[in-house]
Amino acid sequence: MTDTMTEPATDTADRQDRPEGLATEGLAVGYRTRSARGRGANRAVLSGLDLEARAGELTVLLGPNGAGKSTLLRTLCGLLPSLEGRVRIGGADLARTSPTALARRLAVVLTDRVDPGLLSVRELAGLGRHPHTGFTGRLTDADHAVVEWSLKAVGAGHLADRPAAELSDGERQRVLTARALAQEPEVVLLDEPTAFLDVPSRVALTVLLRDLARDKGLTVVVSTHDLELALRVADAVWLVDRDRHVHAGAPEDLIRSGAVADAFDADHLAFDPVSGTFGLRRTARAAVAVDAPADVLPLLERALAREGLTVAGPGDPTADRQVTWNGGDRFTLTGPGGAVVHSFHELTRAVRTW
């Protein structure tokens, strides 16, 4: 998804001597409500937040549905006013920054549907240059170069001349990400940018965002449900738990502390801190001895676990049945209803009677 190209020169004239990144100080996010008597009241979703997303890093925002991730993200970009505290972008107080200045510092990609009208993909991405074009809105050659780079960066260069209204959801998400990059901001906030992408494209876009953060010195904050991918790729994590506390640190910090498991473990799902993945939580109904090489063993463990079986250690007396790999896709099952099978599919069917 990445491409070799000449990157646009970043305009640094108005960015000198600015602190970098995004930070919150005592931030409370939520909603202002009004009673039948006209009295206002605040309903905080998350509070007491002292968070930092650094320039040059990809920070991911994780948490269960309804935990407050979207509310936090919308407050960080100024669409919702904070209930308490403040947000700083490049050292400047978000609430005291003019819309024009903010548009040069901050780019946002939300999940809201966008009606592109009759715009082409190139024109839609070109809207990201408007904070830099002044009153006329005309794009210079330099502006056009930035737009072309942003489209190529997200793997959408081949879509440039197509009507934006004809794009698939996944293609549209790439173009909206390109529009954000075309702003040449200091901070990019994205809400579920991979939601409509297939698995390879999700990986490619997530890695692209991390690489852009490092190569361009951007502060990139992404809200996502791609937990396992985020924990592998992100530099830092903000994790909202079930009690609406926010844990911050490297992925390994939150895995080791148990915060990830506490936030996402469920009756039938358990997080494995060693592999960084989720597996089915099932009561083991039997132990099985396994004789297989190292490259086959993990696949056997997965297949047997799905059927409620565990792999026993060598010589374990609790194992009264065995699976032996015979090369290729051939396995011998020793135990009740022993058999020889020729695929993992046949294997899982056969062990269901154990």
Side-chain angles (χ1 to χ4, degrees):
M1 192 166 173
T2 57
D3 202 343
T4 301
M5 67 198 80
T6 301
E7 295 186 4
T10 302
D11 180 8
T12 58
D14 65 336
R15 299 184 185 178
Q16 294 178 353
D17 302 322
R18 288 185 187 174
E20 297 178 319
L22 179 150
T24 69
E25 301 170 2
L27 184 67
V29 304
Y31 302 93
R32 290 187 167 92
T33 59
R34 189 167 294 279
S35 68
R37 296 182 178 181
R39 296 177 180 176
N42 293 338
R43 183 172 69 85
V45 176
L46 302 170
S47 60
L49 303 181
D50 295 313
L51 301 170
E52 181 183 18
R54 297 182 179 180
E57 292 188 352
L58 171 64
T59 299
V60 296
L61 174 59
L62 303 173
N65 286 334
K69 301 188 300 299
S70 293
T71 303
L72 173 56
L73 208 65
R74 288 175 177 271
T75 304
L76 293 179
C77 67
L79 291 178
L80 286 176
S82 62
L83 302 183
E84 294 179 9
R86 65 183 65 188
V87 178
R88 293 190 180 276
I89 294 179
D93 189 336
L94 175 68
R96 298 176 180 271
T97 303
S98 70
T100 301
L102 186 61
R104 286 175 173 263
R105 292 183 172 184
L106 174 67
V108 182
V109 181
L110 299 176
T111 55
D112 299 341
R113 301 290 295 182
V114 173
D115 181 5
L118 300 177
L119 295 178
S120 69
V121 165
R122 181 180 286 107
E123 291 168 335
L124 179 56
L127 295 178
R129 294 305 299 165
H130 282 191
H132 303 272
T133 57
F135 178 75
T136 64
R138 282 188 172 183
L139 302 188
T140 65
D141 289 344
D143 292 320
H144 285 298
V146 174
V147 174
E148 295 301 320
W149 167 80
S150 69
L151 287 170
K152 290 179 181 179
V154 300
H158 64 292
L159 302 173
D161 295 318
R162 283 183 54 184
E166 297 180 1
L167 298 178
S168 68
D169 287 337
E171 290 170 336
R172 186 180 296 110
Q173 196 69 4
R174 293 189 192 189
V175 175
L176 294 178
T177 302
R179 184 184 67 178
L181 295 178
Q183 285 181 235
E184 292 188 289
E186 298 174 38
V187 177
V188 184
L189 303 180
L190 304 100
D191 191 8
E192 293 291 337
T194 63
F196 303 109
L197 303 180
D198 57 27
V199 173
S201 297
R202 289 182 183 190
V203 175
L205 181 57
T206 304
V207 172
L208 168 72
L209 292 171
R210 185 198 61 188
D211 291 346
L212 285 170
R214 294 182 179 179
D215 296 342
K216 300 286 287 180
L218 295 174
T219 302
V220 181
V221 179
V222 178
S223 173
T224 180
H225 284 101
D226 286 329
L227 178 60
E228 293 179 6
L229 174 60
L231 293 175
R232 289 183 181 276
V233 177
D235 298 298
V237 175
W238 296 346
L239 172 62
V240 186
D241 66 20
R242 291 186 175 99
D243 296 322
R244 294 186 173 176
H245 299 139
V246 180
H247 307 262
E252 294 73 21
D253 292 325
L254 303 190
I255 290 172
R256 183 174 175 80
S257 71
V260 174
D262 290 343
F264 292 101
D265 276 6
D267 290 343
H268 300 292
L269 195 68
F271 183 75
D272 179 7
V274 176
S275 65
T277 61
F278 283 91
L280 293 176
R281 188 200 300 273
R282 301 187 66 174
T283 302
R285 54 189 178 86
V288 181
V290 172
D291 182 4
D295 61 327
V296 178
L297 182 59
L299 296 177
L300 270 173
E301 290 178 336
R302 282 169 55 99
L304 294 173
R306 193 164 60 246
E307 303 304 327
L309 302 169
T310 60
V311 173
D316 191 321
T318 64
D320 60 352
R321 56 208 76 194
Q322 180 168 320
V323 174
T324 303
W325 178 72
N326 297 322
D329 293 325
R330 190 167 179 268
F331 301 91
T332 297
L333 280 60
T334 304
V340 175
V341 297
H342 298 83
S343 70
F344 278 98
H345 197 183
E346 290 184 14
L347 171 71
T348 54
R349 284 178 172 176
V351 300
R352 285 172 197 168
T353 61
W354 281 2

